[in-house]
Each structure stands twice: as structure tokens, then as C-alpha cells.
Amino acid sequence: MNISHRIFLWLSNFALGVMLFLLATTIITLLTIANSRYIKNTLEDSGFYRNLVPSTLNLVKTQDATTGAFVNQAAPVIEKIATPEVVKRYSEQLIDDTGKWLNGPNVNPVFSIDVKPIKAKVSSSLVDYYQTRINSLPVCTTYIVNFDVLNASCRPPVVISRQQIALAVDSYSGSMPFLKSDTLVLGSQNTQNATNTQNNLSAAPRAYKLLKIAPYVFGVLVLVFAIGVYVLNKDKLKAWRQIGHSFLVTGVLLLITGAILAAFVAANIKQIGSPASIEQVAFTDQIILPLLKKVVKSIGLANLYFGVVYAL
């Protein structure tokens, strides 16, 4: 066997191992972070639906003292309406819309979520809450120039209408991201930043389509390079051993990668960045870290499964 023949054999054997690794990686990606059913299950299992509203409210109330006071009073009302089931419904709608965008012809994503019904319920319930609260206060003994619905310790002798209370509630609730407008629009082109974001995301549908065909491409290449190793080897028994060795080495590499991800990384993910407040730490602990741990652990376990299959 001459030198060029040996080089081609070595390259074929090496390429076989690389293609096996890429085949496993693309399949794992399609089964996890690129799979809408997996994403929905991960969000539910991580407590995302249950913790999003309380964590967001805790984060919003750090904006200023007035907003904090409003959130402290309104939180029970909002949490009663914006239940985990409601969060799940809106989240799954966004996930499904994202899937349609990735599989559709549109390059720039524009997702619109109608939150008008829940916003109306929250506003109505908050008005009822504050009206009951105001009616329970004693009548003021001094003249009040500007009646503060939120911090009032007494009520004026005249009746405070629902319209007046509603205006005050709307001014406070506008500081909350999910109560600012009747429709949440993601991917709008109204601002330069949004346009820049769209430009960055415009390649996602093409990348997703390439990802879907990648396992077939890598599968064919695995077959091609395996045949190459077999043909280039005069000793066919040795050829089978070399092919098996490529599977074994790739399997061991996947096993090691999976073990690191599943056992070490998922258990030792540290807080991202340096949150400036207790509320930000809580948001990170309750929302971001559980999601990361679930995703990393799933990918690690998938690597372990593929490693076992290859190693066998």
C-alpha cells in the first residue's frame, strides 16, 4: 500500500468519525431545541408557566417606589387572572407561530399576540379592587386637591367614579410589559433596533431548513466514507474493524460529552451576569436557570444515548 493510498484511507476513516458525530449532533438538535413539542414540555417541566408572572411582577416593582407600591397591591389580582394556564396558552401560541415562520416563506418574523381580553379582565378586576378599597376608607376631614387612588388613606365626600379609578389604574399598569397595549407585537419594524433584530433573524428560516436536511446529508456521507474505508482496504476484515473503530471512538466521545453536559454542567450552571437586585436574582433562579438546566441535561442525555448506540 503506497503513501497516497494510506493517506486516502486515513482521511476516509477520519471523515467517517466526523460525519458520525455531526449526524448525531444534528439529530439531537432537531429532537430538542428545534422541536416545538420538546420546547413546550421543557417550559412546563421547568416551572416557566408557573413562575413567569410572579417573577416578572417582582422585577417590575423595582422600577420606582410608586410602581412598587402598585405592584404590591395589584399582584394578587393579576396573578389570579394571569394564571399559569393563561401563560401557557400564550406561550404555546408564540411557539407555534415561530414554527410556522421557520417553515414558511416569510423571512422577517412579525408575531402578534392579542392580549386585549386578559388586559380587560385585569383592568376591570383592579378597578373593582380599588373601588372596594376606597369605599372602605373613612371620609377625609380636609380638602384634597389631587386624590391618590393608590395611596389614599381617606376618601373624599364625593363619589369617585369607576372611570376615574380606571384612568389611575391604566396609568400605573402601563409600566408592566404585558399590560402596555392590547396587542403584543414581536418583530415590528417601527424602530431601527427592531429592524436590526429582523436582519439578524432573517437567516433563521434558511438555517432551519438546512438543519432539517442535514441528517440525510450526513447519513449519506457516513455511508460513502464507510464504503470508502471498505474499498480502500485490501484486508476486508481489517476494513470492518476500522469502521467499527470509528463508530466506537465517536460513541465514546459522545458519551463523554453527554456525561459532562448531563452530570456536571446541568448541576453547576451559575447565575448569568451579575444581577443588581434580589428580584433579578430571583428571576434568574426561577426562570432562566431551570430552563437552561433542562435543555442542557436533555442534550447531554441524548448524547449519552447516541454514544451507547455507536459504541455497541
Side-chain angles (χ1 to χ4, degrees):
M1 185 181 294
N2 56 39
I3 295 177
S4 61
H5 194 271
R6 289 175 182 274
I7 291 174
F8 280 121
L9 178 59
W10 182 87
L11 288 175
S12 297
N13 203 26
F14 177 77
L16 174 60
V18 173
M19 292 304 111
L20 283 169
F21 188 86
L22 292 176
L23 175 62
T25 302
T26 52
I27 292 176
I28 290 169
T29 303
L30 286 170
L31 292 176
T32 54
I33 58 177
N35 184 289
S36 60
R37 182 178 298 177
Y38 167 81
I39 295 172
K40 292 175 182 178
N41 291 337
T42 299
L43 288 175
E44 186 158 16
D45 294 342
S46 69
F48 177 86
Y49 301 137
R50 181 177 65 255
N51 295 322
L52 180 63
V53 171
S55 297
T56 302
L57 290 174
N58 286 332
L59 202 58
V60 170
K61 72 180 182 182
T62 62
Q63 293 180 6
D64 54 69
T66 302
T67 302
F70 171 72
V71 171
N72 285 332
Q73 293 179 1
V77 176
I78 295 174
E79 290 179 23
K80 187 176 180 180
I81 296 172
T83 61
E85 289 74 21
V86 172
V87 176
K88 179 180 179 180
R89 185 171 71 249
Y90 283 115
S91 299
E92 292 189 347
Q93 178 188 335
L94 180 59
I95 293 169
D96 291 337
D97 288 345
T98 302
K100 292 176 183 177
W101 163 60
L102 290 173
N103 289 289
N106 294 328
V107 175
N108 293 327
V110 179
F111 305 130
S112 177
I113 302 177
D114 182 16
V115 295
K116 186 176 181 179
I118 188 171
K119 181 183 176 183
K121 288 182 180 179
V122 169
S123 297
S124 178
S125 296
L126 287 175
V127 170
D128 291 340
Y129 168 79
Y130 281 109
Q131 190 168 49
T132 302
R133 178 181 178 278
I134 291 170
N135 290 338
S136 66
L137 296 174
V139 177
C140 297
T141 57
T142 58
Y143 179 73
I144 300 176
V145 178
N146 294 313
F147 181 69
D148 187 351
V149 171
L150 180 65
N151 299 308
S153 57
C154 63
R155 60 184 171 87
V158 296
V159 176
I160 303 298
S161 66
R162 285 184 63 86
Q163 289 76 13
Q164 290 174 289
I165 298 175
L167 288 174
V169 168
D170 288 342
S171 67
Y172 289 125
S173 61
S175 61
M176 299 186 183
F178 47 87
L179 294 177
K180 285 183 178 179
S181 61
D182 294 338
T183 305
L184 293 179
V185 179
L186 306 178
S188 172
Q189 296 185 358
N190 293 335
T191 66
Q192 182 63 38
N193 288 336
T195 303
N196 292 337
T197 300
Q198 283 190 325
N199 291 335
N200 294 332
L201 291 175
S202 61
R206 292 191 294 272
Y208 182 68
K209 291 178 177 63
L210 290 174
L211 180 64
K212 288 198 297 183
I213 66 173
Y216 300 102
V217 175
F218 291 136
V220 170
L221 290 174
V222 165
L223 182 60
V224 169
F225 287 118
I227 292 174
V229 172
Y230 184 81
V231 171
L232 290 171
N233 255 303
K234 293 181 179 180
D235 186 345
K236 302 308 178 186
L237 182 60
K238 183 179 179 181
W240 284 116
R241 286 200 299 267
Q242 287 184 337
I243 293 172
H245 182 262
S246 294
F247 274 85
L248 178 62
V249 170
T250 306
V252 171
L253 182 60
L254 286 168
L255 282 169
I256 294 172
T257 305
I260 292 173
L261 288 173
F264 180 76
V265 179
N268 295 279
I269 293 178
K270 302 299 181 183
Q271 293 178 1
I272 298 175
S274 300
S277 67
I278 295 175
E279 289 76 14
Q280 288 175 321
V281 172
F283 187 86
T284 302
D285 288 343
Q286 295 177 9
I287 302 297
I288 298 177
L289 292 184
L291 275 175
L292 281 177
K293 288 182 179 181
K294 287 289 296 182
V295 171
V296 171
K297 188 174 182 179
S298 297
I299 294 174
L301 289 175
N303 273 329
L304 286 172
Y305 296 148
F306 268 92
V308 170
V309 172
Y310 281 175
L312 291 177

